[in-house]
Amino acid sequence: MLVYCDGAQLNCAGLIEICLMHPLDVVKTRFHIWLQVQKSLTDPHSYKGLGNCFRMILQTEGFFGFYKGILPPILAETPKRAVKFSTFEQYKKLLGYMSLSPGLIFAIAGFGSGLTEAVVVNPFEVVKVGLQVNRNTFTEQPTTFAYARQIIKKEGLGLRGLNKGFTATLGRHGIFNMVYFGFYHNVKNIIPASKDPTLEFLRKFGIGFVSGTMGSVFNIPFDVAKSRIQGPQPVPGEIKYRHCFRTMATVYQEEGILALYKGLLPKVMRLGPGGAVMLLVYEHAYAWLEKNW
């Protein structure tokens, strides 16, 4: 019942979050691709920093350049949110039969929900990343469906086509949800609730914000690997980045540990508040269902 009854509220919140935060996702992906794969800082197509990346996209691709690849996450929103929250509840219920601490149950259930979510969203991510890294103007790039057909026709549906980067996506969503749900539910139970509605909202929003931020910090190496695998390769026609952990090892060996964390700022700017909003909407819907059903 939960999946269907709270779907409208979750999807509405998710749609608003995507529309507001998608520019940051575009910038994050460009960071992962060009600030890490670019030939040198003297390359005229390189970005010198976060502000420069914003300016160059606006100058060369226009305002709608920040909304490249927005259709795939919008299309994935309904199944993604349904899978994320419903499987978390189901895994939590199953784990409740085991002799595990509540804190561990939240973390493991979050990890399981993230792995399940990744199966649903990975094809959408492949299409999204390909559109985001296209530096033509918004009107010149292929449509979402045309680009998806192009991938399927050229590379198929498997791990080299519409599902490439699957392992990295599993790691990204599994780690994020493990920290996101685990931290939120454990800390929320430690910090006492307030009778003041405003203070209670701030308590939950603050914990949700920290949860989204921490999840972003822990999972960004997988996000970097995913972008490298799903995005354009450094040398056209030559596949340098194919496997998740091998990609992370290559990045570490060639560029250092900090290269696995580039693009963290726009990621946190998106998933910190976005994660807080999602949990607040979910809890509101869940409480309403418990009271009325």
Side-chain angles (χ1 to χ4, degrees), residues 220-221 224 248 251-262:
I220 193 170
V224 170
M248 287 193 283
V251 172
Y252 171 73
Q253 291 166 2
E254 295 183 354
E255 304 164 47
I257 188 67
L258 293 181
L260 291 170
Y261 291 87
K262 285 183 178 178

Side-chain angles (χ1 to χ4, degrees), residues 62-183:
F63 174 76
F64 288 106
F66 292 112
Y67 287 89
K68 289 179 174 179
I70 193 171
L71 186 57
I74 288 177
L75 293 175
E77 186 60 25
T78 298
K80 175 183 176 181
R81 299 303 176 191
V83 168
K84 176 192 284 285
F85 291 103
S86 64
T87 56
F88 172 71
E89 292 298 331
Q90 293 303 314
Y91 289 133
K92 189 173 67 172
K93 186 182 297 184
L94 289 172
L95 290 165
Y97 295 106
M98 303 180 184
S99 56
L100 299 172
S101 67
L104 192 58
I105 288 175
F106 289 131
I108 296 174
F111 184 70
S113 74
L115 296 181
T116 312
E117 180 187 12
V119 176
V120 175
V121 303
N122 193 64
F124 295 94
E125 286 290 317
V126 172
V127 176
K128 184 194 76 171
V129 169
L131 293 171
Q132 286 181 333
V133 300
N134 186 317
R135 298 186 71 159
N136 294 327
T137 61
F138 189 85
T139 56
E140 291 176 335
Q141 72 174 39
T143 66
T144 298
F145 295 106
Y147 184 64
R149 286 195 298 269
Q150 180 183 325
I151 294 173
I152 295 170
K153 183 178 180 180
K154 185 179 178 180
E155 300 170 321
L157 297 169
L159 298 179
R160 296 191 180 186
L162 203 59
N163 271 293
K164 63 183 173 183
F166 180 61
T167 305
T169 304
L170 285 173
R172 185 180 80 154
H173 287 264
I175 297 298
F176 181 86
N177 282 10
M178 180 178 70
V179 177
Y180 182 61
F181 284 115
F183 182 85

Side-chain angles (χ1 to χ4, degrees), residues 225-247:
K226 186 186 81 70
S227 295
R228 295 273 184 125
I229 295 166
Q230 295 178 345
Q233 299 293 312
V235 179
E238 179 182 318
I239 306 299
K240 180 177 182 180
Y241 305 113
R242 190 189 301 277
H243 304 289
C244 175
F245 293 103
R246 190 177 301 171
T247 294

